Amino acid sequence: MARKNYSEEFRRQAVDLYESTPGATLRGIAADLGIERATLARWVEVYGSGKKTTADGATVSSPSRGRQRATRAGAEPESPEARIARLETENAQLRAEQTKLTTEREILRQAAKYFGRGDELVNRFQFVADHCTTFEVKRLCALVEIERSSYYAWLKAAPARRQRAADDAALAARIRSVHDDDNTQGAPRITTELNAGAGAGDGERVNHKRVARVMREHGIVGYRRRRKVRTTVPEPADRKVPDLLNRDFTAPAANQRYVGDITYLPLADGNNLYLATVIDCYSRRLAGWSVADHMRTELVEDALKAAAATRGSLAGAAFHSDHGAQYTSKDFALLCKELGVTQSMGAVGTSADNSLAESFNATLKREVLQDHNSWSDEATCRRQVFRWLVRYNTRRRHSWCRYLSPNTYEALYPATLPSAA
């Protein structure tokens, strides 16, 4: 095989490539150029500048310094001293490369702890900030694959982030204060409560999205009952009463349309109390209610009488219910006639036809019982239910009422109510 002839320019370029490439070795450059390592070594001795770029970018003296003289027969043989010096240089380069790799591996090992904390990009910035006194920022950014300009921009914004975090912590304290007073409230009702307080000089107004975010970040949630409980069982009756609402639970003014239902209140001893309600469709106000240890017709009669006392008169109003035996009884029909109330009933066995009352009952049990299945005793049940029913009208913010309480809603958006007798 014919021996290749290399021009002097090629030889000088090969030597320059070897000397200027950080951390390059004779074997690696020779392999790239397709020549023997020994050939490249001889060229370095002849044409070398005596300088070599190490792996970390520094320039050091090279023992394989180019000689000033060369003969036609080629370079002089490498002396033992020169060989030892060359090997020591290569050894130093390998140690530097090993140190570099070890350092990078340690950096990445520490960085891995930051990558499982949610926002990965922010955590990369934080990692660089936490280790910039130990390692160069340039190397850290390169290893975690972020731009230095982005890191410095993030660093510059740190005071603003700290201020936002402090503001969020202060808001979280305000939210907890409202939530502790009533832990059933979610973000919409809490937002309204906070802004109502802001109007009175207690803090500043807040956006509902920010409240939801802060609640989520601090683990503050309104109570949600996870068990589905069947509360009522409609009963068919012989007397036919039309459905005047057709699932339209709205009214143009107060004291025109009411819905009602019976729900049981379970006690720990296995017995029940029973609650009958009369709810105004206009404001969702609980106009009347009655609690008893029985489900006789007197239970629903007392609730309707209480509503008549609250409103002064129910003449001309419609009262909608299911087909429970109490509502289909002759005694209740007679009471409705005496009060001037027109009865309305949904279809037999269809809870959706009275969903407003059903929803009210479910909300009561969810917010009062929460994770309990029953009340400890009758006295506790009566006391807690009474407190919630009164608070429902006077303080509990209702989404239907523009997040006002039913009483406040009627006061701000009044309807013509008959004068009490």
Side-chain angles (χ1 to χ4, degrees):
M1 180 176 181
R3 180 176 180 179
K4 292 184 179 179
N5 294 318
Y6 300 99
S7 66
E8 182 175 350
E9 182 182 0
F10 180 89
R11 297 178 185 183
R12 290 184 182 277
Q13 289 178 341
V15 172
D16 179 70
L17 179 64
Y18 163 70
E19 291 181 339
S20 62
T21 302
T25 62
L26 289 169
R27 187 180 303 279
I29 296 299
D32 290 341
L33 299 177
I35 60 177
E36 296 293 332
R37 177 188 177 282
T39 301
L40 179 59
R42 288 195 300 272
W43 293 352
V44 171
E45 291 178 0
V46 176
Y47 301 107
S49 64
K51 302 295 183 180
K52 180 70 179 73
T53 303
T54 60
D56 57 2
T59 303
V60 298
S61 298
S62 173
S64 301
R65 183 167 47 189
R67 303 177 186 272
Q68 296 297 325
R69 59 187 180 86
T71 63
R72 293 182 181 178
E76 295 180 356
E78 184 180 28
S79 66
E81 293 79 5
R83 179 180 176 81
I84 292 173
R86 176 175 57 78
L87 292 176
E88 287 179 348
T89 301
E90 292 181 359
N91 189 33
Q93 294 174 354
L94 290 175
R95 286 198 302 270
E97 184 69 18
Q98 182 180 12
T99 301
K100 176 186 176 184
L101 293 175
T102 301
T103 302
E104 291 181 351
R105 184 168 59 249
E106 177 61 20
I107 292 173
L108 292 175
R109 184 185 67 80
Q110 297 182 29
K113 301 176 183 178
Y114 285 71
F115 293 162
R117 302 179 184 174
D119 191 330
E120 184 176 321
L121 180 59
V122 171
N123 290 325
R124 293 186 186 204
F125 291 145
Q126 189 62 55
F127 170 76
V128 175
D130 291 346
H131 295 81
C132 63
T133 57
T134 305
F135 307 102
E136 292 180 345
V137 171
K138 179 180 180 180
R139 175 179 287 188
L140 290 171
C141 290
L143 287 176
V144 297
E145 298 180 351
I146 59 175
E147 296 292 336
R148 273 188 294 169
S149 59
S150 299
Y151 164 71
Y152 286 120
W154 176 85
L155 202 62
K156 185 178 181 180
R161 287 197 303 275
R162 286 193 293 269
Q163 183 60 50
R164 284 196 299 271
D167 293 343
D168 285 349
L171 177 58
R174 294 173 60 195
I175 292 173
R176 286 192 185 279
S177 177
V178 175
H179 187 262
D180 289 345
D181 185 52
D182 181 0
N183 69 348
T184 64
Q185 299 185 90
R189 288 166 58 192
I190 288 181
T191 301
T192 307
E193 191 73 33
L194 292 174
N195 289 335
D202 184 15
E204 61 181 9
R205 292 184 62 83
V206 291
N207 181 274
H208 70 281
K209 293 182 179 179
R210 184 184 173 200
V211 171
R213 174 180 60 80
V214 172
M215 289 180 65
R216 183 169 57 253
E217 292 174 353
H218 288 78
I220 306 173
V221 295
Y223 179 77
R224 298 176 182 176
R225 188 172 180 85
R226 294 173 176 80
R227 280 192 316 112
K228 185 177 180 180
V229 180
R230 189 179 184 188
T231 56
T232 59
V233 179
E235 295 184 14
D238 294 334
R239 193 167 67 92
K240 300 298 182 181
V241 177
D243 185 348
L244 302 178
L245 270 61
N246 294 315
R247 301 187 183 181
D248 178 12
F249 302 107
T250 63
N255 201 33
Q256 292 188 4
R257 284 184 170 186
Y258 292 91
V259 297
D261 194 18
I262 300 174
T263 188
Y264 72 93
L265 308 174
L267 304 177
D269 61 5
N271 294 318
N272 297 311
L273 292 179
Y274 300 93
L275 168 68
T277 55
V278 179
I279 304 169
D280 195 315
C281 292
Y282 172 71
S283 62
R284 297 331 194 227
R285 180 180 179 180
L286 183 63
W289 76 84
S290 177
V291 178
D293 59 0
H294 62 80
M295 290 182 65
R296 296 190 294 273
T297 304
E298 300 95 277
L299 176 66
V300 295
E301 288 179 330
D302 290 343
L304 194 62
K305 291 176 182 177
T310 299
R311 292 305 196 188
S313 172
L314 296 179
F319 177 75
H320 183 82
S321 67
D322 58 28
H323 280 268
Q326 301 82 2
Y327 295 114
T328 59
S329 66
K330 293 181 180 179
D331 289 341
F332 187 73
L334 180 60
L335 176 63
C336 288
K337 184 176 181 180
E338 292 175 357
L339 296 177
V341 174
T342 302
Q343 281 190 269
S344 170
M345 292 185 185
V348 175
T350 305
S351 61
D353 285 350
N354 200 23
S355 58
L356 174 56
E358 296 279 354
S359 175
F360 176 91
N361 294 337
T363 300
L364 162 65
K365 292 183 181 180
R366 181 180 68 251
E367 295 190 359
V368 180
L369 280 178
Q370 298 194 5
D371 290 326
H372 300 284
N373 295 322
S374 61
W375 280 272
S376 57
D377 52 64
E378 180 177 335
T380 300
C381 177
R382 287 180 179 273
R383 185 165 51 250
Q384 291 183 356
V385 170
F386 172 78
R387 179 180 183 276
W388 189 89
L389 294 177
V390 174
R391 183 186 179 91
Y392 171 87
N393 277 339
T394 60
R395 293 192 58 188
R396 185 184 183 278
R397 298 182 183 274
H398 201 301
S399 58
W400 174 264
C401 302
R402 306 179 186 181
Y403 286 101
L404 301 171
S405 68
N407 284 5
T408 304
Y409 182 79
E410 285 191 358
L412 293 179
Y413 305 96
T416 303
L417 302 177
S419 302

